């Protein structure tokens, strides 16, 4: 059994005040609703239902925490940028994410999931700039490559690479398919580094 298969659900919080003590190492998964955050998490931990994969976007309004061991955690942050929710709700989510990113000391880095068919949307760029400001490493995962031709994947990777230059924090990226499991090894090696494994 791999280290990541040991992941188990810890708790779900609507406020950063409810988080467990700010110790150890946390890595957060962020991204627009429906980009595939839960699917990527399930793929990494080789579990089908660890993070609920929703067909209705915008439903996860909490920070869901998963523990890998007594020191390491994964945080599944609420999805942003979903059009069909009221502005007040969006503001609430933005505040939750902003507060978490700016105050959580054990936050080591972020995995930013994008749908490769819709990369670098406004909310993604905002988040990248935010992480640059707080000097937090970001690894961009361009998910759902199975939905595009090889040529289109290569073209988008090229465009994203260009768009990711100019940040002063550590920013890396890769292609992924949670459906097919493509890119899992590469992503796990990034996590190993962040978790000091
Ligand atoms: N084809 C394809 N579909 C995916 C992939 N990853 C996620 N999905 C689908 O995209 C939808 C949203 O996924 P989910 O993990 O719930 O996204 P989240 O809102 O970011 O947590 C679901 O219907 C998933 O089955 C992928 O790599 N390929
Ligand atoms: Mg989800």
């Amino acid at each position: 059994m791999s280290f990541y298969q040991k992941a188990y659900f810890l708790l779900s919080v609507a406020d950063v005040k409810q988080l467990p003590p700010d110790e150890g190492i946390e890595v957060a998964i962020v991204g627009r609703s429906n980009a595939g955050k839960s699917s990527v998490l399930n793929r990494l931990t080789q579990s089908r239902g660890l993070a609920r994969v929703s067909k209705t976007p915008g439903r996860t309004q909490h920070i869901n925490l998963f523990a890998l061991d007594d020191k390491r955690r994964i945080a599944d942050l609420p999805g942003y940028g979903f059009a069909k929710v009221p502005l007040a709700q969006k503001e609430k989510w933005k505040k939750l994410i902003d507060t978490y990113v700016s105050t959580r000391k054990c936050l080591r880095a972020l995995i930013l999931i994008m749908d490769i068919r819709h990369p670098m949307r406004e909310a993604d760029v905002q988040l990248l700039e935010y992480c640059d400001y707080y000097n937090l490493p970001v690894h961009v995962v361009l998910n759902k490559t199975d939905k595009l031709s090889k040529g289109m994947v290569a073209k988008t990777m090229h465009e994203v690479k260009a768009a990711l230059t100019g940040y002063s924090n550590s920013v890396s990226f890769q292609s992924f398919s949670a459906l097919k499991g493509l890119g899992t090894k590469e992503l796990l090696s990034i996590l190993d580094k962040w978790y000091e494994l």
Side-chain angles (χ1 to χ4, degrees):
M1 191 162 102
S2 90
F3 176 72
Y4 297 94
Q5 272 179 274
K6 291 181 200 155
Y8 60 94
F9 176 75
L10 204 59
L11 83 167
S12 183
V13 305
D15 194 299
V16 289
K17 292 189 196 102
Q18 300 165 322
L19 287 168
D22 196 351
E23 301 161 353
I25 306 173
E26 244 163 58
V27 171
I29 301 199
V30 289
R32 289 165 51 83
S33 295
N34 222 33
K37 290 179 299 299
S38 302
S39 304
V40 172
L41 195 53
N42 286 342
R43 174 56 75 176
L44 290 177
T45 55
Q46 288 173 267
S47 99
R48 278 184 184 278
L50 184 70
R52 200 161 48 88
V53 176
S54 170
K55 288 206 187 282
T56 319
R59 282 283 170 82
T60 334
Q61 302 166 17
H62 289 64
I63 295 178
N64 294 307
L65 274 186
F66 303 91
L68 295 162
D69 60 17
D70 57 5
K71 183 181 164 207
R72 299 172 177 89
R73 292 173 302 274
I74 301 178
D76 184 8
L77 300 193
Y80 50 75
F82 186 61
K84 288 180 197 164
V85 297
L87 191 65
Q89 185 65 264
K90 279 190 201 170
E91 295 286 314
K92 215 174 129 192
W93 293 351
K94 192 174 181 303
K95 193 155 176 276
L96 179 63
I97 294 177
D98 289 0
T99 310
Y100 173 77
V101 169
S102 60
T103 61
R104 193 77 171 154
K105 291 190 197 70
C106 66
L107 179 62
R108 175 72 180 80
L110 281 91
I111 299 175
L112 171 53
I113 313 284
M114 298 178 196
D115 184 327
I116 193 161
R117 297 168 300 173
H118 316 286
M120 300 294 287
R121 301 291 284 265
E122 195 187 339
D124 299 319
V125 177
Q126 269 175 21
L127 195 90
L128 280 161
E129 280 167 6
Y130 208 68
C131 290
D132 189 356
Y133 182 80
Y134 286 104
N135 198 27
L136 267 169
V138 184
H139 184 66
V140 175
V141 170
L142 296 162
N143 188 35
K144 308 196 188 185
T145 52
D146 57 278
K147 295 264 195 188
L148 292 182
S149 67
K150 280 213 168 96
M152 275 305 288
V153 170
K155 183 175 176 282
T156 310
M157 291 285 284
H158 196 73
E159 288 165 0
V160 169
K161 187 182 178 184
L164 289 178
T165 56
Y167 290 102
S168 55
N169 57 331
S170 161
V171 180
S172 50
F173 70 106
Q174 68 161 104
S175 58
F176 200 88
S177 166
L179 184 74
K180 306 266 184 197
L182 299 168
T184 306
K185 256 191 168 172
E186 195 178 343
L187 184 50
L188 287 177
S189 74
I190 298 271
L191 285 172
D192 281 357
K193 190 185 69 181
W194 287 341
Y195 283 125
E196 296 165 14
L197 288 167

